[in-house]
Amino acid sequence: MRYFLTTAIDYVNSRPHLGTAYEKITADVIARYHRLKGDDTWFLMGNDEHSQNVFKRALEQGKAPLAYCDEMEQAFRETWAGLDISFDDFIRTTDRRRHFPAVQALAQACLDNGDIYEGTYEGHYCVGCEEFKPEKDLVEGLCPIHKTKPEWIREKNWFFRLSKYQQPLLEFYEAHPSFIEPEVRRNEILRFVEGGLDDLSMSRAGQSWGIPLPFDPKSVVYVWFDALINYAAAAGYGWDQERFRSRWPANLHIVGKDITRFHCVIWPAMLMSAKLPLPGQVFGHGWVFFKGERMSKSLGNMVDPLDAAKRFGPDPLRLYLTKEVPYGGDGDFTWERFEEKYNADLANNLGNLVNRVASMSERYRQGALAAPGSRSAVLAGAAETAVTAYTAAMERLALHEAAAAAFRLISATNEFVATNQPWALAKDAGKAAALSSVLYDAAEAVRIAGVLLQPFMPASAAEILRRMGTHQPAPELRLSDAAWRADAARQIINDGALWPRIEDQGAIVVSETPTRETAEKTETSETKDAARGAGDQAPSVTVAETRTAPATSDGLITIDDFMKVELRTAKVLTAERMPKSKKLLKLSVDVGEPVPRTILAGIAESYEPDDLVGRSVVIVANLAPRPMMGLVSQGMVLAASAEGGSAMLVNPEPAVPGTRVR
Ligand SMILES: [Zn+2]
């Protein structure tokens, strides 16, 4: 099957930040999944260069605009290479061979169809958005996004008859319910189009930076009208009709939620006017915040994705962004959380499993695992369940659920190893066959997890497959390789830790030795974990100070330590499920403060929201606020939870909300 997907093309007025990279990473995961399925996949990215902001930025730097864009292209390509983004084609809107003829042909087609007319435009123009802003969209006279006063512009313009397409668009949405995803975006667009559409200015007068209109060479095509056409231009529109027919329409446009309107309203109307087929789907993803704030140049909080990739390599970053952020919703990036998830998912879970399986295979079988001939009763079922859940999630672009499905198989395999204790079997010569099959089954489950993780962590997956003795280069790897095999003898390669655990320096406290360096080297992993559980301490904690708190050396804490945790009773005022989350409930609780607190609690699998209203609970009141799923959770609700079991809330006698628990 042919599969053509695109991302938004990027403004080149600054280098890509982590938010920009998020979109490309998610698109890359989807592209690699389709290649894994064996689809004839074509993944397009590119740069949007005909912006007045780009033009100004180039002049500020004393550069010709095109030379500036050439430099920026290199910066973007460097970033995408550093993140292992596997685009097949990269288009720039200054491409005179492909993009210019496409834009001119499409503008001409719309004119020929009677959808372009001349008029005068007067209005509020935000230079930052490069968009005319209707009066009703301004907040106290300012652009709500840029917080700047738009310019009042009056000029001769060519208009695109967008209003004519209100009804055809509504009919199209009705007939193609999955055209706009996720549903929240679809509803926004439906309300917007139902409210009526204004014609759109599609040219700018008196500018040189842009593509001249074929029927009025003194005007250039408005940057948005120009940019949208890149998708058709790369496919061949206007310069290679045969190529275009074989590639168009796109199956999927991946764009940020802020520009879904352009892609779901204006772009399809332009295509209808030019009598071209419409794309299969537009997916409007959410934003990735940095510590709860949107990354922007003006706030100075842009994370360079290459810095994030340098921390542990591109794969852990790719996994973090796709697994931790429900695709379609908003997410949050903090260095602390990134490290925490790296340790939990990669160092402790997947990495540890790969290392254990490889080292035990080497120790007990010199790496040579014979085929057991029969399927593992336990793990083959877990693998099948994981593959089914993974595939279903991928097909509806629930990337986070697909990654989670692969990790459930990894956890099941870790449990399998813990339960079957190969090290104990190895002591008993009579259990040699059992040991062989436990090792084989664990290696087979790891191999399957490697196949499933290939789109998320391409280099790591290749390394896992190599160590499990079944290396297949990505172009040959198929989703069908995720089927359980009981008949393939293999040679396992033991090659050291895949992802070494990153230690939070401040948490390392136990030592009898005089220097910090030797303290780190001599402690055991058990004491590291115990120290970690004691919580975040300032990195400035010294060995001398930790000695004055000897209670920590036996895993116990002092009453002073305990009193640092502020436990309080609270009353649940409202409770509701979080969309896109199976685990989380959003609670509003009274803690005896003037304003109720919002707390996200992972108890949705154990409690119905309605049953919680009015209940007393105990919360950690002085937990640092945590941005989660676009909200900020202000505390934590205490619950007992058995490993893998359901959560049971700690249930105090009704007390005045805010009463200290100690
Ligand atoms: Zn603006």
Side-chain angles (χ1 to χ4, degrees), residues 367-411:
L369 301 185
S374 63
R375 281 158 50 94
S376 159
V378 185
L379 276 186
E384 225 159 73
T385 307
V387 173
T388 307
Y390 170 92
T391 310
M394 276 299 205
E395 291 297 326
R396 54 192 173 81
L397 303 183
L399 308 183
H400 55 296
E401 287 181 27
F407 271 85
R408 280 198 297 278
L409 174 60
I410 293 156
S411 300

mmCIF file of all heavy atoms in Angstrom, residues 367-411:
data_model
loop_
_atom_site.group_PDB
_atom_site.id
_atom_site.type_symbol
_atom_site.label_atom_id
_atom_site.label_comp_id
_atom_site.label_asym_id
_atom_site.label_seq_id
_atom_site.Cartn_x
_atom_site.Cartn_y
_atom_site.Cartn_z
ATOM 1 N N GLY A 367 25.952 -18.354 25.246
ATOM 2 C CA GLY A 367 25.219 -17.544 24.277
ATOM 3 C C GLY A 367 24.407 -18.345 23.278
ATOM 4 O O GLY A 367 23.587 -17.784 22.563
ATOM 5 N N ALA A 368 24.612 -19.657 23.199
ATOM 6 C CA ALA A 368 23.913 -20.456 22.175
ATOM 7 C C ALA A 368 22.590 -20.978 22.747
ATOM 8 O O ALA A 368 22.577 -21.816 23.637
ATOM 9 C CB ALA A 368 24.796 -21.614 21.740
ATOM 10 N N LEU A 369 21.490 -20.473 22.232
ATOM 11 C CA LEU A 369 20.177 -20.910 22.711
ATOM 12 C C LEU A 369 19.530 -21.794 21.654
ATOM 13 O O LEU A 369 19.285 -21.355 20.528
ATOM 14 C CB LEU A 369 19.277 -19.705 23.009
ATOM 15 C CG LEU A 369 19.795 -18.713 24.068
ATOM 16 C CD1 LEU A 369 18.744 -17.644 24.341
ATOM 17 C CD2 LEU A 369 20.171 -19.426 25.366
ATOM 18 N N ALA A 370 19.261 -23.043 22.042
ATOM 19 C CA ALA A 370 18.610 -23.967 21.112
ATOM 20 C C ALA A 370 17.117 -23.677 21.076
ATOM 21 O O ALA A 370 16.539 -23.197 22.052
ATOM 22 C CB ALA A 370 18.854 -25.401 21.573
ATOM 23 N N ALA A 371 16.484 -23.975 19.941
ATOM 24 C CA ALA A 371 15.038 -23.762 19.824
ATOM 25 C C ALA A 371 14.313 -24.793 20.676
ATOM 26 O O ALA A 371 14.616 -25.979 20.584
ATOM 27 C CB ALA A 371 14.627 -23.889 18.359
ATOM 28 N N PRO A 372 13.360 -24.357 21.513
ATOM 29 C CA PRO A 372 12.669 -25.311 22.381
ATOM 30 C C PRO A 372 11.634 -26.129 21.619
ATOM 31 O O PRO A 372 11.196 -27.170 22.085
ATOM 32 C CB PRO A 372 11.996 -24.423 23.428
ATOM 33 C CG PRO A 372 11.813 -23.110 22.756
ATOM 34 C CD PRO A 372 12.914 -22.977 21.735
ATOM 35 N N GLY A 373 11.209 -25.651 20.469
ATOM 36 C CA GLY A 373 10.236 -26.411 19.683
ATOM 37 C C GLY A 373 8.797 -26.139 20.064
ATOM 38 O O GLY A 373 7.907 -26.271 19.241
ATOM 39 N N SER A 374 8.549 -25.729 21.306
ATOM 40 C CA SER A 374 7.158 -25.423 21.669
ATOM 41 C C SER A 374 7.079 -23.992 22.182
ATOM 42 O O SER A 374 8.047 -23.459 22.736
ATOM 43 C CB SER A 374 6.659 -26.394 22.731
ATOM 44 O OG SER A 374 7.440 -26.232 23.895
ATOM 45 N N ARG A 375 5.904 -23.387 21.996
ATOM 46 C CA ARG A 375 5.706 -21.993 22.396
ATOM 47 C C ARG A 375 5.657 -21.863 23.908
ATOM 48 O O ARG A 375 5.112 -22.719 24.596
ATOM 49 C CB ARG A 375 4.372 -21.478 21.839
ATOM 50 C CG ARG A 375 4.410 -21.103 20.383
ATOM 51 C CD ARG A 375 3.003 -21.133 19.808
ATOM 52 N NE ARG A 375 2.060 -20.377 20.638
ATOM 53 C CZ ARG A 375 1.746 -19.088 20.419
ATOM 54 N NH1 ARG A 375 2.290 -18.436 19.421
ATOM 55 N NH2 ARG A 375 0.876 -18.482 21.193
ATOM 56 N N SER A 376 6.220 -20.768 24.396
ATOM 57 C CA SER A 376 6.149 -20.495 25.827
ATOM 58 C C SER A 376 4.695 -20.297 26.226
ATOM 59 O O SER A 376 3.970 -19.511 25.620
ATOM 60 C CB SER A 376 6.929 -19.227 26.142
ATOM 61 O OG SER A 376 6.504 -18.690 27.363
ATOM 62 N N ALA A 377 4.267 -21.042 27.253
ATOM 63 C CA ALA A 377 2.870 -20.939 27.672
ATOM 64 C C ALA A 377 2.550 -19.528 28.153
ATOM 65 O O ALA A 377 1.487 -18.989 27.872
ATOM 66 C CB ALA A 377 2.611 -21.955 28.774
ATOM 67 N N VAL A 378 3.487 -18.921 28.863
ATOM 68 C CA VAL A 378 3.215 -17.619 29.484
ATOM 69 C C VAL A 378 3.532 -16.474 28.530
ATOM 70 O O VAL A 378 2.691 -15.629 28.222
ATOM 71 C CB VAL A 378 4.077 -17.450 30.754
ATOM 72 C CG1 VAL A 378 3.717 -16.165 31.475
ATOM 73 C CG2 VAL A 378 3.906 -18.648 31.667
ATOM 74 N N LEU A 379 4.741 -16.445 28.039
ATOM 75 C CA LEU A 379 5.208 -15.259 27.331
ATOM 76 C C LEU A 379 4.657 -15.135 25.915
ATOM 77 O O LEU A 379 4.441 -14.022 25.433
ATOM 78 C CB LEU A 379 6.732 -15.247 27.290
ATOM 79 C CG LEU A 379 7.405 -14.660 28.529
ATOM 80 C CD1 LEU A 379 8.901 -14.580 28.302
ATOM 81 C CD2 LEU A 379 6.848 -13.277 28.852
ATOM 82 N N ALA A 380 4.425 -16.239 25.238
ATOM 83 C CA ALA A 380 3.916 -16.139 23.866
ATOM 84 C C ALA A 380 2.565 -15.434 23.865
ATOM 85 O O ALA A 380 2.282 -14.606 22.994
ATOM 86 C CB ALA A 380 3.811 -17.522 23.236
ATOM 87 N N GLY A 381 1.749 -15.728 24.878
ATOM 88 C CA GLY A 381 0.438 -15.067 24.984
ATOM 89 C C GLY A 381 0.598 -13.579 25.255
ATOM 90 O O GLY A 381 -0.083 -12.744 24.649
ATOM 91 N N ALA A 382 1.523 -13.244 26.158
ATOM 92 C CA ALA A 382 1.757 -11.830 26.477
ATOM 93 C C ALA A 382 2.253 -11.085 25.240
ATOM 94 O O ALA A 382 1.873 -9.944 24.983
ATOM 95 C CB ALA A 382 2.774 -11.713 27.608
ATOM 96 N N ALA A 383 3.094 -11.763 24.454
ATOM 97 C CA ALA A 383 3.624 -11.127 23.246
ATOM 98 C C ALA A 383 2.506 -10.894 22.230
ATOM 99 O O ALA A 383 2.407 -9.825 21.624
ATOM 100 C CB ALA A 383 4.723 -11.998 22.640
ATOM 101 N N GLU A 384 1.655 -11.888 22.083
ATOM 102 C CA GLU A 384 0.546 -11.757 21.132
ATOM 103 C C GLU A 384 -0.379 -10.603 21.535
ATOM 104 O O GLU A 384 -0.793 -9.806 20.696
ATOM 105 C CB GLU A 384 -0.253 -13.054 21.131
ATOM 106 C CG GLU A 384 -0.606 -13.559 19.752
ATOM 107 C CD GLU A 384 -0.923 -15.043 19.819
ATOM 108 O OE1 GLU A 384 -2.005 -15.374 20.335
ATOM 109 O OE2 GLU A 384 -0.070 -15.855 19.393
ATOM 110 N N THR A 385 -0.692 -10.537 22.822
ATOM 111 C CA THR A 385 -1.544 -9.453 23.324
ATOM 112 C C THR A 385 -0.886 -8.107 23.054
ATOM 113 O O THR A 385 -1.539 -7.151 22.633
ATOM 114 C CB THR A 385 -1.744 -9.619 24.849
ATOM 115 O OG1 THR A 385 -2.211 -10.943 25.081
ATOM 116 C CG2 THR A 385 -2.744 -8.619 25.390
ATOM 117 N N ALA A 386 0.420 -8.042 23.284
ATOM 118 C CA ALA A 386 1.132 -6.773 23.077
ATOM 119 C C ALA A 386 1.096 -6.369 21.608
ATOM 120 O O ALA A 386 0.845 -5.208 21.279
ATOM 121 C CB ALA A 386 2.580 -6.897 23.560
ATOM 122 N N VAL A 387 1.324 -7.322 20.715
ATOM 123 C CA VAL A 387 1.342 -7.006 19.284
ATOM 124 C C VAL A 387 -0.038 -6.525 18.831
ATOM 125 O O VAL A 387 -0.159 -5.548 18.085
ATOM 126 C CB VAL A 387 1.794 -8.234 18.449
ATOM 127 C CG1 VAL A 387 1.648 -7.962 16.956
ATOM 128 C CG2 VAL A 387 3.244 -8.587 18.781
ATOM 129 N N THR A 388 -1.084 -7.180 19.305
ATOM 130 C CA THR A 388 -2.445 -6.782 18.929
ATOM 131 C C THR A 388 -2.748 -5.369 19.424
ATOM 132 O O THR A 388 -3.244 -4.526 18.666
ATOM 133 C CB THR A 388 -3.473 -7.768 19.525
ATOM 134 O OG1 THR A 388 -3.083 -9.080 19.142
ATOM 135 C CG2 THR A 388 -4.875 -7.482 19.028
ATOM 136 N N ALA A 389 -2.431 -5.105 20.695
ATOM 137 C CA ALA A 389 -2.713 -3.779 21.264
ATOM 138 C C ALA A 389 -1.871 -2.711 20.570
ATOM 139 O O ALA A 389 -2.350 -1.617 20.259
ATOM 140 C CB ALA A 389 -2.414 -3.782 22.761
ATOM 141 N N TYR A 390 -0.639 -3.053 20.290
ATOM 142 C CA TYR A 390 0.289 -2.137 19.626
ATOM 143 C C TYR A 390 -0.227 -1.749 18.241
ATOM 144 O O TYR A 390 -0.304 -0.586 17.876
ATOM 145 C CB TYR A 390 1.640 -2.838 19.529
ATOM 146 C CG TYR A 390 2.696 -2.176 18.670
ATOM 147 C CD1 TYR A 390 3.600 -1.286 19.237
ATOM 148 C CD2 TYR A 390 2.825 -2.472 17.317
ATOM 149 C CE1 TYR A 390 4.594 -0.697 18.475
ATOM 150 C CE2 TYR A 390 3.812 -1.887 16.541
ATOM 151 C CZ TYR A 390 4.697 -1.001 17.116
ATOM 152 O OH TYR A 390 5.683 -0.414 16.358
ATOM 153 N N THR A 391 -0.606 -2.761 17.462
ATOM 154 C CA THR A 391 -1.060 -2.513 16.096
ATOM 155 C C THR A 391 -2.326 -1.665 16.092
ATOM 156 O O THR A 391 -2.438 -0.692 15.336
ATOM 157 C CB THR A 391 -1.293 -3.847 15.369
ATOM 158 O OG1 THR A 391 -0.130 -4.658 15.546
ATOM 159 C CG2 THR A 391 -1.537 -3.641 13.898
ATOM 160 N N ALA A 392 -3.276 -2.031 16.977
ATOM 161 C CA ALA A 392 -4.530 -1.270 17.028
ATOM 162 C C ALA A 392 -4.247 0.182 17.404
ATOM 163 O O ALA A 392 -4.819 1.112 16.816
ATOM 164 C CB ALA A 392 -5.489 -1.909 18.038
ATOM 165 N N ALA A 393 -3.354 0.390 18.369
ATOM 166 C CA ALA A 393 -3.042 1.757 18.811
ATOM 167 C C ALA A 393 -2.350 2.536 17.698
ATOM 168 O O ALA A 393 -2.686 3.690 17.425
ATOM 169 C CB ALA A 393 -2.159 1.715 20.056
ATOM 170 N N MET A 394 -1.397 1.908 17.021
ATOM 171 C CA MET A 394 -0.692 2.581 15.935
ATOM 172 C C MET A 394 -1.651 2.990 14.817
ATOM 173 O O MET A 394 -1.531 4.078 14.255
ATOM 174 C CB MET A 394 0.378 1.656 15.360
ATOM 175 C CG MET A 394 1.673 1.686 16.122
ATOM 176 S SD MET A 394 2.378 3.350 16.084
ATOM 177 C CE MET A 394 4.076 3.000 16.332
ATOM 178 N N GLU A 395 -2.597 2.113 14.498
ATOM 179 C CA GLU A 395 -3.516 2.406 13.398
ATOM 180 C C GLU A 395 -4.373 3.635 13.693
ATOM 181 O O GLU A 395 -4.796 4.330 12.791
ATOM 182 C CB GLU A 395 -4.410 1.196 13.089
ATOM 183 C CG GLU A 395 -3.652 0.029 12.468
ATOM 184 C CD GLU A 395 -3.043 0.355 11.097
ATOM 185 O OE1 GLU A 395 -3.658 1.124 10.342
ATOM 186 O OE2 GLU A 395 -1.939 -0.159 10.797
ATOM 187 N N ARG A 396 -4.650 3.884 14.997
ATOM 188 C CA ARG A 396 -5.408 5.110 15.271
ATOM 189 C C ARG A 396 -4.509 6.199 15.859
ATOM 190 O O ARG A 396 -4.959 7.114 16.527
ATOM 191 C CB ARG A 396 -6.626 4.833 16.137
ATOM 192 C CG ARG A 396 -6.349 4.131 17.408
ATOM 193 C CD ARG A 396 -7.596 3.606 18.112
ATOM 194 N NE ARG A 396 -7.165 2.822 19.218
ATOM 195 C CZ ARG A 396 -6.791 3.316 20.394
ATOM 196 N NH1 ARG A 396 -6.891 4.599 20.626
ATOM 197 N NH2 ARG A 396 -6.340 2.536 21.346
ATOM 198 N N LEU A 397 -3.219 6.093 15.581
ATOM 199 C CA LEU A 397 -2.238 7.113 15.941
ATOM 200 C C LEU A 397 -2.144 7.352 17.447
ATOM 201 O O LEU A 397 -1.768 8.437 17.873
ATOM 202 C CB LEU A 397 -2.514 8.441 15.211
ATOM 203 C CG LEU A 397 -2.566 8.374 13.678
ATOM 204 C CD1 LEU A 397 -2.781 9.768 13.096
ATOM 205 C CD2 LEU A 397 -1.289 7.777 13.114
ATOM 206 N N ALA A 398 -2.503 6.363 18.254
ATOM 207 C CA ALA A 398 -2.308 6.478 19.701
ATOM 208 C C ALA A 398 -0.894 5.988 20.000
ATOM 209 O O ALA A 398 -0.688 4.897 20.549
ATOM 210 C CB ALA A 398 -3.365 5.671 20.448
ATOM 211 N N LEU A 399 0.093 6.799 19.607
ATOM 212 C CA LEU A 399 1.491 6.377 19.696
ATOM 213 C C LEU A 399 1.872 6.007 21.124
ATOM 214 O O LEU A 399 2.616 5.053 21.359
ATOM 215 C CB LEU A 399 2.419 7.499 19.209
ATOM 216 C CG LEU A 399 2.109 8.105 17.836
ATOM 217 C CD1 LEU A 399 3.164 9.137 17.471
ATOM 218 C CD2 LEU A 399 2.020 7.026 16.773
ATOM 219 N N HIS A 400 1.361 6.783 22.086
ATOM 220 C CA HIS A 400 1.688 6.541 23.497
ATOM 221 C C HIS A 400 1.185 5.176 23.947
ATOM 222 O O HIS A 400 1.846 4.486 24.714
ATOM 223 C CB HIS A 400 1.087 7.651 24.356
ATOM 224 C CG HIS A 400 -0.389 7.834 24.164
ATOM 225 N ND1 HIS A 400 -0.933 8.238 22.963
ATOM 226 C CD2 HIS A 400 -1.427 7.635 25.001
ATOM 227 C CE1 HIS A 400 -2.254 8.305 23.086
ATOM 228 N NE2 HIS A 400 -2.579 7.941 24.300
ATOM 229 N N GLU A 401 0.020 4.776 23.441
ATOM 230 C CA GLU A 401 -0.515 3.471 23.835
ATOM 231 C C GLU A 401 0.274 2.340 23.182
ATOM 232 O O GLU A 401 0.460 1.278 23.775
ATOM 233 C CB GLU A 401 -1.998 3.367 23.452
ATOM 234 C CG GLU A 401 -2.884 4.215 24.345
ATOM 235 C CD GLU A 401 -4.350 4.088 23.965
ATOM 236 O OE1 GLU A 401 -4.755 3.046 23.405
ATOM 237 O OE2 GLU A 401 -5.092 5.051 24.222
ATOM 238 N N ALA A 402 0.715 2.579 21.965
ATOM 239 C CA ALA A 402 1.513 1.556 21.285
ATOM 240 C C ALA A 402 2.830 1.332 22.026
ATOM 241 O O ALA A 402 3.234 0.188 22.269
ATOM 242 C CB ALA A 402 1.765 1.976 19.837
ATOM 243 N N ALA A 403 3.481 2.425 22.416
ATOM 244 C CA ALA A 403 4.738 2.295 23.157
ATOM 245 C C ALA A 403 4.484 1.597 24.490
ATOM 246 O O ALA A 403 5.264 0.733 24.916
ATOM 247 C CB ALA A 403 5.361 3.677 23.381
ATOM 248 N N ALA A 404 3.378 1.946 25.124
ATOM 249 C CA ALA A 404 3.060 1.330 26.418
ATOM 250 C C ALA A 404 2.816 -0.174 26.244
ATOM 251 O O ALA A 404 3.204 -0.975 27.099
ATOM 252 C CB ALA A 404 1.843 2.007 27.042
ATOM 253 N N ALA A 405 2.201 -0.560 25.135
ATOM 254 C CA ALA A 405 1.948 -1.987 24.890
ATOM 255 C C ALA A 405 3.277 -2.748 24.786
ATOM 256 O O ALA A 405 3.429 -3.837 25.341
ATOM 257 C CB ALA A 405 1.125 -2.169 23.617
ATOM 258 N N ALA A 406 4.248 -2.157 24.094
ATOM 259 C CA ALA A 406 5.563 -2.802 23.986
ATOM 260 C C ALA A 406 6.195 -2.917 25.370
ATOM 261 O O ALA A 406 6.807 -3.943 25.701
ATOM 262 C CB ALA A 406 6.460 -1.996 23.048
ATOM 263 N N PHE A 407 6.021 -1.898 26.184
ATOM 264 C CA PHE A 407 6.627 -1.936 27.525
ATOM 265 C C PHE A 407 5.904 -2.898 28.461
ATOM 266 O O PHE A 407 6.509 -3.398 29.404
ATOM 267 C CB PHE A 407 6.751 -0.527 28.111
ATOM 268 C CG PHE A 407 8.061 0.094 27.729
ATOM 269 C CD1 PHE A 407 8.212 0.751 26.518
ATOM 270 C CD2 PHE A 407 9.175 -0.051 28.545
ATOM 271 C CE1 PHE A 407 9.433 1.275 26.131
ATOM 272 C CE2 PHE A 407 10.406 0.471 28.167
ATOM 273 C CZ PHE A 407 10.536 1.132 26.965
ATOM 274 N N ARG A 408 4.628 -3.164 28.204
ATOM 275 C CA ARG A 408 3.950 -4.177 29.019
ATOM 276 C C ARG A 408 4.566 -5.551 28.761
ATOM 277 O O ARG A 408 4.712 -6.360 29.670
ATOM 278 C CB ARG A 408 2.444 -4.191 28.736
ATOM 279 C CG ARG A 408 1.700 -3.080 29.465
ATOM 280 C CD ARG A 408 0.204 -3.355 29.549
ATOM 281 N NE ARG A 408 -0.431 -3.404 28.236
ATOM 282 C CZ ARG A 408 -0.820 -2.316 27.559
ATOM 283 N NH1 ARG A 408 -0.640 -1.111 28.067
ATOM 284 N NH2 ARG A 408 -1.394 -2.430 26.379
ATOM 285 N N LEU A 409 4.954 -5.794 27.520
ATOM 286 C CA LEU A 409 5.625 -7.067 27.212
ATOM 287 C C LEU A 409 6.983 -7.134 27.922
ATOM 288 O O LEU A 409 7.367 -8.184 28.443
ATOM 289 C CB LEU A 409 5.794 -7.212 25.693
ATOM 290 C CG LEU A 409 6.618 -8.427 25.239
ATOM 291 C CD1 LEU A 409 5.966 -9.734 25.710
ATOM 292 C CD2 LEU A 409 6.778 -8.430 23.713
ATOM 293 N N ILE A 410 7.672 -6.005 27.958
ATOM 294 C CA ILE A 410 8.977 -5.968 28.627
ATOM 295 C C ILE A 410 8.814 -6.237 30.123
ATOM 296 O O ILE A 410 9.556 -7.029 30.717
ATOM 297 C CB ILE A 410 9.659 -4.607 28.355
ATOM 298 C CG1 ILE A 410 10.007 -4.499 26.866
ATOM 299 C CG2 ILE A 410 10.894 -4.425 29.223
ATOM 300 C CD1 ILE A 410 10.138 -3.089 26.362
ATOM 301 N N SER A 411 7.805 -5.624 30.729
ATOM 302 C CA SER A 411 7.558 -5.861 32.159
ATOM 303 C C SER A 411 7.183 -7.314 32.411
ATOM 304 O O SER A 411 7.637 -7.925 33.375
ATOM 305 C CB SER A 411 6.449 -4.945 32.679
ATOM 306 O OG SER A 411 6.820 -3.598 32.506
#
